[in-house]
Amino acid sequence: MIVCNIQLQNKKDSFIKATIDDKGNIYVATGMLGVVQKFNKNGDFIKSILIKDDIDMIKNERDGIHVYAGKFDYTDYHITEKK
């Protein structure tokens, strides 16, 4: 399966970041809102995950999905674990 990390930017510099896990679930992060939404591979909503900081990056890494957030020092929020 191809796994990717995506970042989209509109004209007002608002960012939407997304990544896909190896099961096909999609994680969409909205930067300033500090929320990650999880969808299954069919696009059905599964859950929202509240992140307390502005989200800078979301990535699928070897040990699961990581969200990097914060204004000055990044905090790594590990929101899933690969089994």
Side-chain angles (χ1 to χ4, degrees):
M1 170 178 282
I2 296 174
V3 178
C4 61
N5 301 305
I6 304 161
Q7 179 169 304
L8 305 171
Q9 178 180 7
N10 68 15
K11 293 180 182 179
K12 295 182 180 180
D13 290 332
S14 294
F15 289 95
I16 296 175
K17 299 152 184 83
T19 193
I20 302 169
D21 68 16
D22 22 345
K23 294 180 182 175
N25 295 313
I26 303 163
Y27 297 82
V28 179
T30 49
M32 291 179 52
L33 296 177
V35 174
V36 176
Q37 294 181 321
K38 180 179 178 181
F39 301 88
N40 68 16
K41 63 183 176 183
N42 297 320
D44 299 321
F45 175 78
I46 297 174
K47 66 179 177 177
S48 281
I49 304 161
L50 179 62
I51 304 295
K52 296 179 182 180
D53 295 310
D54 293 346
I55 297 171
D56 183 60
M57 184 178 3
I58 184 168
K59 292 176 69 177
N60 183 346
E61 297 184 5
R62 289 182 182 177
D63 61 345
I65 304 296
H66 289 255
V67 177
Y68 297 93
K71 292 188 179 196
F72 302 107
D73 294 325
Y74 287 132
T75 301
D76 177 3
Y77 296 90
H78 187 187
I79 61 173
T80 66
E81 291 186 29
K82 291 188 179 176
K83 296 183 179 185

